[in-house]
Amino acid sequence: MTKFSDLKLDPKVLKAIAEAGYETPTPIQEQAIPHALEGRDVLGIAQTGTGKTASFTLPMITRLGRGRARARMPRSLVLAPTRELAAQVAENFDIYAKYTRLTKALLIGGVAFGEQDKLIDRGVDVLIATPGRLLDHFERGKLLLTGVEVMVVDEADRMLDMGFIPDIERIFKLTPFTRQTFFYSATMPPEIERLTNTFLQGPARVEVARQATASETIEQALVEFRPSRRDRAASEKRRRLRDLIEAEGERLTNAIIFCNRKVDVDILAKSLKKYKLDAAPIHGDLDQSLRTRTLDRFRNGELKFLIASDVAARGLDVPAVSHVFNFDVPIHPEDYVHRIGRTGRAGRDGKAVTIAAPADAKFVTAIEDLLGKPLPRAESPAQTADAPAEDTPTAPAADTAAAEPKRRRRGKPAEAKAQPAPESVQPEPVKAEAAPVPAVAAPEPEQTARPRAEPKPRAQPRRGEDKRDDRRGQVVGMGDHVPDFLLREFRAS
DNA sequence: AAAAAAC
């Protein structure tokens, strides 16, 4: 079995790897690093959690080891789709570049320019950025990309989803064609294929075996939710969630609760707080410093419930999450896999509970098609219908507000505080903990022709055409293990 | 049925 020490990495990098406690590279690291060290372009088809980040960070540091940065001319560039992912790459870089003298700057939005400018002026070896902020710096004339020797595009298909491809293309054109390029995508839709054909030169194609199902260590359950009345749906659903949380008891140490919409993230977070649950929201409309602080608190165990949009669905390294709840069924089945992949990591047990209303049926079907097996239905605790006592007609306006957030002005999620107090009064006898009913259908053979969920001819290739689980069963090398440095606070520096 | 990202 290959060890890191067998790879021709810089001894300083090897030392940092050893110190971090790693010995064995993951498959993508093992395959990509030798090509990378030979100077070849690398096209990596891999998901987060496969050890992807180190597969480019380690050779990049090795390659940059000699030589030094000049003012405003970074020697390498890493592009990531979200601020949090960029920050994570920066953390990775710090740990593996520990014994080198390489410098870096994290260029993400939502943060003041001053500090970023200072670093660029001084000269950095590695720039880690989200596309928008990088171009912003460039347009302000603060940055020259003609010195870029290594460029990395991470999560390209997600960039596509987010409309970043024109930016990426532009950035490519600003860098010298002699650069070495590392390009990662979980899937290869045509637009991404075109990009790689244009900007990569004879790349080594490195593909990590895709995983069909969600990690075996994740217990999944589907809770069917049927509101007693349409105008009560929202508050009843929140109540159902609280019941489910309660039913988990001690087993639940912390959880990420996903909603499909930002407004609903805010509303749910407020509601849970009102019920004395330790909850805080995270989504893209919140101030970046708050996002960072909230995530840090959650990672440090100071926050029990993270209420999140899909900004937190992918790539985020959060150690030891015992539970994931889908307050809303994700519209795209691959998001389901990403969301529940936040739990059951590094071989730990995890549970993922999804609340599905009747109208969610088609999304549930799509998820089951993608997984290739049905989601176990959970026996729900305290039936909402049995408890007509809640929502007294005294507070009709309040609940309607919460139920129809879309009609409201956004940004001011104040509706939530209008949430009915009555709910809190009666702690329903929550009995019968969720007992997952075994799936009816026989488990399908994993790798046989999988019925693809998506209606094939899509106007635009979007999302993962073949998004699979990003958590594999067994973990090798830097796979899923979350090193300590990820627990530290990060900031743009 | 959404989210994300630049000011």
PDB file of all heavy atoms in Angstrom, chain A residues 166-201:
ATOM      1  N   PRO A 166     -18.619  31.795 -16.648  1.00  0.00           N
ATOM      2  CA  PRO A 166     -18.004  32.910 -17.388  1.00  0.00           C
ATOM      3  C   PRO A 166     -16.850  33.552 -16.608  1.00  0.00           C
ATOM      4  O   PRO A 166     -15.819  33.896 -17.186  1.00  0.00           O
ATOM      5  CB  PRO A 166     -19.157  33.905 -17.563  1.00  0.00           C
ATOM      6  CG  PRO A 166     -20.399  33.070 -17.500  1.00  0.00           C
ATOM      7  CD  PRO A 166     -20.076  31.965 -16.533  1.00  0.00           C
ATOM      8  N   ASP A 167     -17.031  33.673 -15.297  1.00  0.00           N
ATOM      9  CA  ASP A 167     -15.960  34.226 -14.464  1.00  0.00           C
ATOM     10  C   ASP A 167     -14.723  33.336 -14.501  1.00  0.00           C
ATOM     11  O   ASP A 167     -13.592  33.814 -14.610  1.00  0.00           O
ATOM     12  CB  ASP A 167     -16.418  34.358 -13.007  1.00  0.00           C
ATOM     13  CG  ASP A 167     -17.409  35.503 -12.822  1.00  0.00           C
ATOM     14  OD1 ASP A 167     -17.563  36.305 -13.765  1.00  0.00           O
ATOM     15  OD2 ASP A 167     -18.022  35.583 -11.750  1.00  0.00           O
ATOM     16  N   ILE A 168     -14.969  32.047 -14.382  1.00  0.00           N
ATOM     17  CA  ILE A 168     -13.849  31.100 -14.378  1.00  0.00           C
ATOM     18  C   ILE A 168     -13.098  31.168 -15.712  1.00  0.00           C
ATOM     19  O   ILE A 168     -11.871  31.186 -15.759  1.00  0.00           O
ATOM     20  CB  ILE A 168     -14.366  29.656 -14.161  1.00  0.00           C
ATOM     21  CG1 ILE A 168     -15.054  29.532 -12.802  1.00  0.00           C
ATOM     22  CG2 ILE A 168     -13.241  28.643 -14.290  1.00  0.00           C
ATOM     23  CD1 ILE A 168     -14.161  29.807 -11.642  1.00  0.00           C
ATOM     24  N   GLU A 169     -13.884  31.251 -16.751  1.00  0.00           N
ATOM     25  CA  GLU A 169     -13.285  31.324 -18.074  1.00  0.00           C
ATOM     26  C   GLU A 169     -12.421  32.577 -18.203  1.00  0.00           C
ATOM     27  O   GLU A 169     -11.309  32.545 -18.726  1.00  0.00           O
ATOM     28  CB  GLU A 169     -14.422  31.348 -19.110  1.00  0.00           C
ATOM     29  CG  GLU A 169     -14.035  30.705 -20.394  1.00  0.00           C
ATOM     30  CD  GLU A 169     -15.236  30.329 -21.250  1.00  0.00           C
ATOM     31  OE1 GLU A 169     -16.351  30.170 -20.707  1.00  0.00           O
ATOM     32  OE2 GLU A 169     -15.049  30.220 -22.462  1.00  0.00           O
ATOM     33  N   ARG A 170     -12.948  33.639 -17.694  1.00  0.00           N
ATOM     34  CA  ARG A 170     -12.216  34.897 -17.752  1.00  0.00           C
ATOM     35  C   ARG A 170     -10.921  34.818 -16.946  1.00  0.00           C
ATOM     36  O   ARG A 170      -9.858  35.274 -17.389  1.00  0.00           O
ATOM     37  CB  ARG A 170     -13.119  36.010 -17.192  1.00  0.00           C
ATOM     38  CG  ARG A 170     -12.522  37.356 -17.372  1.00  0.00           C
ATOM     39  CD  ARG A 170     -13.473  38.492 -17.118  1.00  0.00           C
ATOM     40  NE  ARG A 170     -12.687  39.687 -16.874  1.00  0.00           N
ATOM     41  CZ  ARG A 170     -12.972  40.597 -15.958  1.00  0.00           C
ATOM     42  NH1 ARG A 170     -14.059  40.452 -15.214  1.00  0.00           N
ATOM     43  NH2 ARG A 170     -12.204  41.637 -15.792  1.00  0.00           N
ATOM     44  N   ILE A 171     -11.022  34.222 -15.778  1.00  0.00           N
ATOM     45  CA  ILE A 171      -9.843  34.095 -14.930  1.00  0.00           C
ATOM     46  C   ILE A 171      -8.786  33.218 -15.601  1.00  0.00           C
ATOM     47  O   ILE A 171      -7.602  33.536 -15.587  1.00  0.00           O
ATOM     48  CB  ILE A 171     -10.229  33.551 -13.536  1.00  0.00           C
ATOM     49  CG1 ILE A 171     -11.110  34.570 -12.811  1.00  0.00           C
ATOM     50  CG2 ILE A 171      -8.987  33.243 -12.706  1.00  0.00           C
ATOM     51  CD1 ILE A 171     -11.827  34.039 -11.585  1.00  0.00           C
ATOM     52  N   PHE A 172      -9.250  32.129 -16.209  1.00  0.00           N
ATOM     53  CA  PHE A 172      -8.325  31.276 -16.952  1.00  0.00           C
ATOM     54  C   PHE A 172      -7.531  32.111 -17.960  1.00  0.00           C
ATOM     55  O   PHE A 172      -6.322  31.969 -18.100  1.00  0.00           O
ATOM     56  CB  PHE A 172      -9.095  30.189 -17.716  1.00  0.00           C
ATOM     57  CG  PHE A 172      -9.163  28.858 -17.006  1.00  0.00           C
ATOM     58  CD1 PHE A 172     -10.383  28.248 -16.759  1.00  0.00           C
ATOM     59  CD2 PHE A 172      -7.998  28.208 -16.618  1.00  0.00           C
ATOM     60  CE1 PHE A 172     -10.444  27.009 -16.130  1.00  0.00           C
ATOM     61  CE2 PHE A 172      -8.052  26.970 -15.984  1.00  0.00           C
ATOM     62  CZ  PHE A 172      -9.276  26.368 -15.741  1.00  0.00           C
ATOM     63  N   LYS A 173      -8.246  32.978 -18.651  1.00  0.00           N
ATOM     64  CA  LYS A 173      -7.596  33.748 -19.710  1.00  0.00           C
ATOM     65  C   LYS A 173      -6.630  34.799 -19.170  1.00  0.00           C
ATOM     66  O   LYS A 173      -5.806  35.326 -19.919  1.00  0.00           O
ATOM     67  CB  LYS A 173      -8.663  34.427 -20.586  1.00  0.00           C
ATOM     68  CG  LYS A 173      -9.418  33.415 -21.450  1.00  0.00           C
ATOM     69  CD  LYS A 173     -10.538  34.079 -22.215  1.00  0.00           C
ATOM     70  CE  LYS A 173     -11.285  33.073 -23.077  1.00  0.00           C
ATOM     71  NZ  LYS A 173     -12.619  33.577 -23.481  1.00  0.00           N
ATOM     72  N   LEU A 174      -6.763  35.106 -17.907  1.00  0.00           N
ATOM     73  CA  LEU A 174      -5.861  36.095 -17.317  1.00  0.00           C
ATOM     74  C   LEU A 174      -4.563  35.466 -16.828  1.00  0.00           C
ATOM     75  O   LEU A 174      -3.618  36.159 -16.463  1.00  0.00           O
ATOM     76  CB  LEU A 174      -6.550  36.798 -16.134  1.00  0.00           C
ATOM     77  CG  LEU A 174      -7.783  37.636 -16.476  1.00  0.00           C
ATOM     78  CD1 LEU A 174      -8.458  38.121 -15.187  1.00  0.00           C
ATOM     79  CD2 LEU A 174      -7.388  38.832 -17.342  1.00  0.00           C
ATOM     80  N   THR A 175      -4.545  34.141 -16.796  1.00  0.00           N
ATOM     81  CA  THR A 175      -3.342  33.461 -16.309  1.00  0.00           C
ATOM     82  C   THR A 175      -2.550  32.940 -17.500  1.00  0.00           C
ATOM     83  O   THR A 175      -3.103  32.751 -18.588  1.00  0.00           O
ATOM     84  CB  THR A 175      -3.723  32.258 -15.415  1.00  0.00           C
ATOM     85  OG1 THR A 175      -4.434  31.298 -16.206  1.00  0.00           O
ATOM     86  CG2 THR A 175      -4.595  32.690 -14.253  1.00  0.00           C
ATOM     87  N   PRO A 176      -1.257  32.717 -17.322  1.00  0.00           N
ATOM     88  CA  PRO A 176      -0.440  32.250 -18.451  1.00  0.00           C
ATOM     89  C   PRO A 176      -0.824  30.834 -18.873  1.00  0.00           C
ATOM     90  O   PRO A 176      -1.173  30.021 -18.016  1.00  0.00           O
ATOM     91  CB  PRO A 176       0.987  32.274 -17.895  1.00  0.00           C
ATOM     92  CG  PRO A 176       0.888  32.484 -16.447  1.00  0.00           C
ATOM     93  CD  PRO A 176      -0.493  32.921 -16.108  1.00  0.00           C
ATOM     94  N   PHE A 177      -0.742  30.562 -20.152  1.00  0.00           N
ATOM     95  CA  PHE A 177      -1.162  29.234 -20.607  1.00  0.00           C
ATOM     96  C   PHE A 177      -0.153  28.165 -20.189  1.00  0.00           C
ATOM     97  O   PHE A 177      -0.406  26.985 -20.297  1.00  0.00           O
ATOM     98  CB  PHE A 177      -1.398  29.215 -22.115  1.00  0.00           C
ATOM     99  CG  PHE A 177      -0.157  29.315 -22.933  1.00  0.00           C
ATOM    100  CD1 PHE A 177       0.476  28.165 -23.373  1.00  0.00           C
ATOM    101  CD2 PHE A 177       0.381  30.555 -23.252  1.00  0.00           C
ATOM    102  CE1 PHE A 177       1.640  28.254 -24.123  1.00  0.00           C
ATOM    103  CE2 PHE A 177       1.536  30.644 -23.992  1.00  0.00           C
ATOM    104  CZ  PHE A 177       2.178  29.495 -24.432  1.00  0.00           C
ATOM    105  N   THR A 178       0.980  28.610 -19.711  1.00  0.00           N
ATOM    106  CA  THR A 178       1.999  27.662 -19.256  1.00  0.00           C
ATOM    107  C   THR A 178       1.716  27.130 -17.853  1.00  0.00           C
ATOM    108  O   THR A 178       2.433  26.281 -17.354  1.00  0.00           O
ATOM    109  CB  THR A 178       3.379  28.358 -19.215  1.00  0.00           C
ATOM    110  OG1 THR A 178       3.230  29.592 -18.498  1.00  0.00           O
ATOM    111  CG2 THR A 178       3.887  28.639 -20.599  1.00  0.00           C
ATOM    112  N   ARG A 179       0.680  27.657 -17.267  1.00  0.00           N
ATOM    113  CA  ARG A 179       0.365  27.226 -15.898  1.00  0.00           C
ATOM    114  C   ARG A 179       0.036  25.738 -15.853  1.00  0.00           C
ATOM    115  O   ARG A 179      -0.360  25.143 -16.856  1.00  0.00           O
ATOM    116  CB  ARG A 179      -0.841  28.012 -15.361  1.00  0.00           C
ATOM    117  CG  ARG A 179      -2.059  27.562 -16.095  1.00  0.00           C
ATOM    118  CD  ARG A 179      -3.372  28.100 -15.720  1.00  0.00           C
ATOM    119  NE  ARG A 179      -4.306  27.388 -16.572  1.00  0.00           N
ATOM    120  CZ  ARG A 179      -4.727  27.795 -17.753  1.00  0.00           C
ATOM    121  NH1 ARG A 179      -4.386  28.984 -18.210  1.00  0.00           N
ATOM    122  NH2 ARG A 179      -5.508  27.048 -18.480  1.00  0.00           N
ATOM    123  N   GLN A 180       0.135  25.187 -14.651  1.00  0.00           N
ATOM    124  CA  GLN A 180      -0.386  23.839 -14.419  1.00  0.00           C
ATOM    125  C   GLN A 180      -1.784  23.983 -13.841  1.00  0.00           C
ATOM    126  O   GLN A 180      -2.017  24.826 -12.975  1.00  0.00           O
ATOM    127  CB  GLN A 180       0.510  23.091 -13.434  1.00  0.00           C
ATOM    128  CG  GLN A 180       0.021  21.669 -13.175  1.00  0.00           C
ATOM    129  CD  GLN A 180       0.903  20.936 -12.181  1.00  0.00           C
ATOM    130  OE1 GLN A 180       1.714  21.546 -11.482  1.00  0.00           O
ATOM    131  NE2 GLN A 180       0.742  19.622 -12.113  1.00  0.00           N
ATOM    132  N   THR A 181      -2.701  23.160 -14.321  1.00  0.00           N
ATOM    133  CA  THR A 181      -4.086  23.310 -13.883  1.00  0.00           C
ATOM    134  C   THR A 181      -4.616  22.046 -13.216  1.00  0.00           C
ATOM    135  O   THR A 181      -4.438  20.939 -13.734  1.00  0.00           O
ATOM    136  CB  THR A 181      -4.989  23.654 -15.080  1.00  0.00           C
ATOM    137  OG1 THR A 181      -4.429  24.771 -15.770  1.00  0.00           O
ATOM    138  CG2 THR A 181      -6.396  23.999 -14.613  1.00  0.00           C
ATOM    139  N   PHE A 182      -5.246  22.244 -12.094  1.00  0.00           N
ATOM    140  CA  PHE A 182      -5.960  21.165 -11.410  1.00  0.00           C
ATOM    141  C   PHE A 182      -7.435  21.511 -11.474  1.00  0.00           C
ATOM    142  O   PHE A 182      -7.828  22.612 -11.067  1.00  0.00           O
ATOM    143  CB  PHE A 182      -5.563  21.078  -9.929  1.00  0.00           C
ATOM    144  CG  PHE A 182      -4.130  20.736  -9.691  1.00  0.00           C
ATOM    145  CD1 PHE A 182      -3.135  21.671  -9.881  1.00  0.00           C
ATOM    146  CD2 PHE A 182      -3.787  19.477  -9.244  1.00  0.00           C
ATOM    147  CE1 PHE A 182      -1.814  21.358  -9.647  1.00  0.00           C
ATOM    148  CE2 PHE A 182      -2.464  19.148  -9.007  1.00  0.00           C
ATOM    149  CZ  PHE A 182      -1.469  20.092  -9.213  1.00  0.00           C
ATOM    150  N   PHE A 183      -8.193  20.601 -11.986  1.00  0.00           N
ATOM    151  CA  PHE A 183      -9.600  20.913 -12.211  1.00  0.00           C
ATOM    152  C   PHE A 183     -10.448  19.800 -11.622  1.00  0.00           C
ATOM    153  O   PHE A 183     -10.312  18.635 -11.991  1.00  0.00           O
ATOM    154  CB  PHE A 183      -9.838  21.026 -13.725  1.00  0.00           C
ATOM    155  CG  PHE A 183     -11.150  21.601 -14.125  1.00  0.00           C
ATOM    156  CD1 PHE A 183     -11.255  22.930 -14.504  1.00  0.00           C
ATOM    157  CD2 PHE A 183     -12.294  20.810 -14.147  1.00  0.00           C
ATOM    158  CE1 PHE A 183     -12.476  23.467 -14.902  1.00  0.00           C
ATOM    159  CE2 PHE A 183     -13.514  21.335 -14.530  1.00  0.00           C
ATOM    160  CZ  PHE A 183     -13.600  22.665 -14.911  1.00  0.00           C
ATOM    161  N   TYR A 184     -11.314  20.157 -10.696  1.00  0.00           N
ATOM    162  CA  TYR A 184     -12.112  19.149 -10.005  1.00  0.00           C
ATOM    163  C   TYR A 184     -13.600  19.365 -10.212  1.00  0.00           C
ATOM    164  O   TYR A 184     -14.098  20.494 -10.124  1.00  0.00           O
ATOM    165  CB  TYR A 184     -11.829  19.171  -8.497  1.00  0.00           C
ATOM    166  CG  TYR A 184     -10.443  18.704  -8.172  1.00  0.00           C
ATOM    167  CD1 TYR A 184      -9.385  19.602  -8.191  1.00  0.00           C
ATOM    168  CD2 TYR A 184     -10.193  17.371  -7.875  1.00  0.00           C
ATOM    169  CE1 TYR A 184      -8.094  19.172  -7.916  1.00  0.00           C
ATOM    170  CE2 TYR A 184      -8.910  16.935  -7.597  1.00  0.00           C
ATOM    171  CZ  TYR A 184      -7.868  17.836  -7.615  1.00  0.00           C
ATOM    172  OH  TYR A 184      -6.600  17.420  -7.345  1.00  0.00           O
ATOM    173  N   SER A 185     -14.265  18.283 -10.477  1.00  0.00           N
ATOM    174  CA  SER A 185     -15.706  18.342 -10.636  1.00  0.00           C
ATOM    175  C   SER A 185     -16.267  16.985 -10.236  1.00  0.00           C
ATOM    176  O   SER A 185     -15.650  15.950 -10.476  1.00  0.00           O
ATOM    177  CB  SER A 185     -16.049  18.660 -12.098  1.00  0.00           C
ATOM    178  OG  SER A 185     -17.411  18.998 -12.209  1.00  0.00           O
ATOM    179  N   ALA A 186     -17.414  17.015  -9.611  1.00  0.00           N
ATOM    180  CA  ALA A 186     -18.010  15.735  -9.224  1.00  0.00           C
ATOM    181  C   ALA A 186     -18.630  15.063 -10.437  1.00  0.00           C
ATOM    182  O   ALA A 186     -18.722  13.843 -10.507  1.00  0.00           O
ATOM    183  CB  ALA A 186     -19.053  15.952  -8.137  1.00  0.00           C
ATOM    184  N   THR A 187     -19.029  15.862 -11.375  1.00  0.00           N
ATOM    185  CA  THR A 187     -19.677  15.347 -12.582  1.00  0.00           C
ATOM    186  C   THR A 187     -19.131  16.106 -13.786  1.00  0.00           C
ATOM    187  O   THR A 187     -18.486  17.132 -13.626  1.00  0.00           O
ATOM    188  CB  THR A 187     -21.195  15.580 -12.532  1.00  0.00           C
ATOM    189  OG1 THR A 187     -21.426  16.986 -12.484  1.00  0.00           O
ATOM    190  CG2 THR A 187     -21.807  14.936 -11.301  1.00  0.00           C
ATOM    191  N   MET A 188     -19.421  15.585 -14.969  1.00  0.00           N
ATOM    192  CA  MET A 188     -18.897  16.232 -16.174  1.00  0.00           C
ATOM    193  C   MET A 188     -20.000  16.591 -17.166  1.00  0.00           C
ATOM    194  O   MET A 188     -20.072  16.032 -18.264  1.00  0.00           O
ATOM    195  CB  MET A 188     -17.868  15.312 -16.843  1.00  0.00           C
ATOM    196  CG  MET A 188     -16.581  15.159 -16.042  1.00  0.00           C
ATOM    197  SD  MET A 188     -15.681  16.690 -15.823  1.00  0.00           S
ATOM    198  CE  MET A 188     -15.120  16.954 -17.481  1.00  0.00           C
ATOM    199  N   PRO A 189     -20.835  17.533 -16.822  1.00  0.00           N
ATOM    200  CA  PRO A 189     -21.830  17.983 -17.800  1.00  0.00           C
ATOM    201  C   PRO A 189     -21.120  18.649 -18.984  1.00  0.00           C
ATOM    202  O   PRO A 189     -19.961  19.045 -18.867  1.00  0.00           O
ATOM    203  CB  PRO A 189     -22.682  18.981 -17.026  1.00  0.00           C
ATOM    204  CG  PRO A 189     -21.893  19.350 -15.821  1.00  0.00           C
ATOM    205  CD  PRO A 189     -20.953  18.224 -15.553  1.00  0.00           C
ATOM    206  N   PRO A 190     -21.790  18.764 -20.118  1.00  0.00           N
ATOM    207  CA  PRO A 190     -21.153  19.243 -21.353  1.00  0.00           C
ATOM    208  C   PRO A 190     -20.413  20.583 -21.199  1.00  0.00           C
ATOM    209  O   PRO A 190     -19.312  20.746 -21.727  1.00  0.00           O
ATOM    210  CB  PRO A 190     -22.330  19.404 -22.311  1.00  0.00           C
ATOM    211  CG  PRO A 190     -23.375  18.484 -21.804  1.00  0.00           C
ATOM    212  CD  PRO A 190     -23.201  18.410 -20.328  1.00  0.00           C
ATOM    213  N   GLU A 191     -21.003  21.487 -20.472  1.00  0.00           N
ATOM    214  CA  GLU A 191     -20.374  22.801 -20.323  1.00  0.00           C
ATOM    215  C   GLU A 191     -19.033  22.694 -19.600  1.00  0.00           C
ATOM    216  O   GLU A 191     -18.074  23.405 -19.908  1.00  0.00           O
ATOM    217  CB  GLU A 191     -21.336  23.724 -19.546  1.00  0.00           C
ATOM    218  CG  GLU A 191     -20.872  25.147 -19.368  1.00  0.00           C
ATOM    219  CD  GLU A 191     -20.735  25.901 -20.692  1.00  0.00           C
ATOM    220  OE1 GLU A 191     -21.149  25.375 -21.742  1.00  0.00           O
ATOM    221  OE2 GLU A 191     -20.186  27.021 -20.651  1.00  0.00           O
ATOM    222  N   ILE A 192     -18.974  21.798 -18.654  1.00  0.00           N
ATOM    223  CA  ILE A 192     -17.728  21.586 -17.913  1.00  0.00           C
ATOM    224  C   ILE A 192     -16.712  20.876 -18.812  1.00  0.00           C
ATOM    225  O   ILE A 192     -15.531  21.216 -18.835  1.00  0.00           O
ATOM    226  CB  ILE A 192     -17.998  20.742 -16.646  1.00  0.00           C
ATOM    227  CG1 ILE A 192     -18.907  21.517 -15.673  1.00  0.00           C
ATOM    228  CG2 ILE A 192     -16.699  20.360 -15.955  1.00  0.00           C
ATOM    229  CD1 ILE A 192     -18.306  22.765 -15.113  1.00  0.00           C
ATOM    230  N   GLU A 193     -17.206  19.929 -19.553  1.00  0.00           N
ATOM    231  CA  GLU A 193     -16.357  19.202 -20.508  1.00  0.00           C
ATOM    232  C   GLU A 193     -15.702  20.199 -21.472  1.00  0.00           C
ATOM    233  O   GLU A 193     -14.494  20.141 -21.729  1.00  0.00           O
ATOM    234  CB  GLU A 193     -17.231  18.205 -21.282  1.00  0.00           C
ATOM    235  CG  GLU A 193     -16.455  17.242 -22.140  1.00  0.00           C
ATOM    236  CD  GLU A 193     -16.091  15.968 -21.381  1.00  0.00           C
ATOM    237  OE1 GLU A 193     -16.990  15.397 -20.738  1.00  0.00           O
ATOM    238  OE2 GLU A 193     -14.923  15.564 -21.436  1.00  0.00           O
ATOM    239  N   ARG A 194     -16.518  21.098 -21.964  1.00  0.00           N
ATOM    240  CA  ARG A 194     -16.002  22.102 -22.902  1.00  0.00           C
ATOM    241  C   ARG A 194     -14.880  22.915 -22.259  1.00  0.00           C
ATOM    242  O   ARG A 194     -13.842  23.171 -22.843  1.00  0.00           O
ATOM    243  CB  ARG A 194     -17.145  23.044 -23.309  1.00  0.00           C
ATOM    244  CG  ARG A 194     -16.767  24.065 -24.366  1.00  0.00           C
ATOM    245  CD  ARG A 194     -17.843  25.109 -24.574  1.00  0.00           C
ATOM    246  NE  ARG A 194     -18.059  25.968 -23.414  1.00  0.00           N
ATOM    247  CZ  ARG A 194     -17.278  26.980 -23.077  1.00  0.00           C
ATOM    248  NH1 ARG A 194     -16.199  27.253 -23.784  1.00  0.00           N
ATOM    249  NH2 ARG A 194     -17.541  27.701 -22.011  1.00  0.00           N
ATOM    250  N   LEU A 195     -15.113  23.305 -21.026  1.00  0.00           N
ATOM    251  CA  LEU A 195     -14.139  24.106 -20.292  1.00  0.00           C
ATOM    252  C   LEU A 195     -12.810  23.366 -20.145  1.00  0.00           C
ATOM    253  O   LEU A 195     -11.734  23.945 -20.344  1.00  0.00           O
ATOM    254  CB  LEU A 195     -14.715  24.434 -18.911  1.00  0.00           C
ATOM    255  CG  LEU A 195     -14.241  25.698 -18.223  1.00  0.00           C
ATOM    256  CD1 LEU A 195     -14.581  26.919 -19.038  1.00  0.00           C
ATOM    257  CD2 LEU A 195     -14.892  25.804 -16.844  1.00  0.00           C
ATOM    258  N   THR A 196     -12.906  22.093 -19.819  1.00  0.00           N
ATOM    259  CA  THR A 196     -11.668  21.335 -19.633  1.00  0.00           C
ATOM    260  C   THR A 196     -10.949  21.149 -20.968  1.00  0.00           C
ATOM    261  O   THR A 196      -9.726  21.208 -21.026  1.00  0.00           O
ATOM    262  CB  THR A 196     -11.932  19.947 -19.009  1.00  0.00           C
ATOM    263  OG1 THR A 196     -12.790  19.206 -19.862  1.00  0.00           O
ATOM    264  CG2 THR A 196     -12.585  20.087 -17.648  1.00  0.00           C
ATOM    265  N   ASN A 197     -11.732  20.949 -22.031  1.00  0.00           N
ATOM    266  CA  ASN A 197     -11.100  20.812 -23.346  1.00  0.00           C
ATOM    267  C   ASN A 197     -10.375  22.085 -23.747  1.00  0.00           C
ATOM    268  O   ASN A 197      -9.344  22.051 -24.406  1.00  0.00           O
ATOM    269  CB  ASN A 197     -12.139  20.465 -24.414  1.00  0.00           C
ATOM    270  CG  ASN A 197     -12.687  19.064 -24.233  1.00  0.00           C
ATOM    271  OD1 ASN A 197     -12.036  18.218 -23.601  1.00  0.00           O
ATOM    272  ND2 ASN A 197     -13.870  18.801 -24.753  1.00  0.00           N
ATOM    273  N   THR A 198     -10.933  23.199 -23.335  1.00  0.00           N
ATOM    274  CA  THR A 198     -10.339  24.481 -23.709  1.00  0.00           C
ATOM    275  C   THR A 198      -9.111  24.824 -22.873  1.00  0.00           C
ATOM    276  O   THR A 198      -8.133  25.332 -23.389  1.00  0.00           O
ATOM    277  CB  THR A 198     -11.382  25.607 -23.537  1.00  0.00           C
ATOM    278  OG1 THR A 198     -12.587  25.224 -24.187  1.00  0.00           O
ATOM    279  CG2 THR A 198     -10.883  26.917 -24.128  1.00  0.00           C
ATOM    280  N   PHE A 199      -9.189  24.547 -21.585  1.00  0.00           N
ATOM    281  CA  PHE A 199      -8.157  25.096 -20.708  1.00  0.00           C
ATOM    282  C   PHE A 199      -7.183  24.094 -20.090  1.00  0.00           C
ATOM    283  O   PHE A 199      -6.226  24.483 -19.437  1.00  0.00           O
ATOM    284  CB  PHE A 199      -8.803  25.937 -19.607  1.00  0.00           C
ATOM    285  CG  PHE A 199      -9.499  27.155 -20.142  1.00  0.00           C
ATOM    286  CD1 PHE A 199     -10.881  27.217 -20.212  1.00  0.00           C
ATOM    287  CD2 PHE A 199      -8.760  28.245 -20.602  1.00  0.00           C
ATOM    288  CE1 PHE A 199     -11.528  28.342 -20.718  1.00  0.00           C
ATOM    289  CE2 PHE A 199      -9.393  29.367 -21.105  1.00  0.00           C
ATOM    290  CZ  PHE A 199     -10.785  29.421 -21.167  1.00  0.00           C
ATOM    291  N   LEU A 200      -7.452  22.818 -20.268  1.00  0.00           N
ATOM    292  CA  LEU A 200      -6.489  21.840 -19.756  1.00  0.00           C
ATOM    293  C   LEU A 200      -5.686  21.267 -20.917  1.00  0.00           C
ATOM    294  O   LEU A 200      -6.213  21.088 -22.010  1.00  0.00           O
ATOM    295  CB  LEU A 200      -7.192  20.699 -19.012  1.00  0.00           C
ATOM    296  CG  LEU A 200      -8.088  21.036 -17.812  1.00  0.00           C
ATOM    297  CD1 LEU A 200      -8.328  19.783 -16.991  1.00  0.00           C
ATOM    298  CD2 LEU A 200      -7.513  22.125 -16.954  1.00  0.00           C
ATOM    299  N   GLN A 201      -4.440  20.960 -20.651  1.00  0.00           N
ATOM    300  CA  GLN A 201      -3.605  20.389 -21.699  1.00  0.00           C
ATOM    301  C   GLN A 201      -3.198  18.965 -21.334  1.00  0.00           C
ATOM    302  O   GLN A 201      -2.450  18.749 -20.386  1.00  0.00           O
ATOM    303  CB  GLN A 201      -2.364  21.255 -21.901  1.00  0.00           C
ATOM    304  CG  GLN A 201      -2.725  22.650 -22.414  1.00  0.00           C
ATOM    305  CD  GLN A 201      -1.540  23.588 -22.420  1.00  0.00           C
ATOM    306  OE1 GLN A 201      -0.396  23.155 -22.393  1.00  0.00           O
ATOM    307  NE2 GLN A 201      -1.813  24.879 -22.451  1.00  0.00           N
TER     308      GLN A 201
END
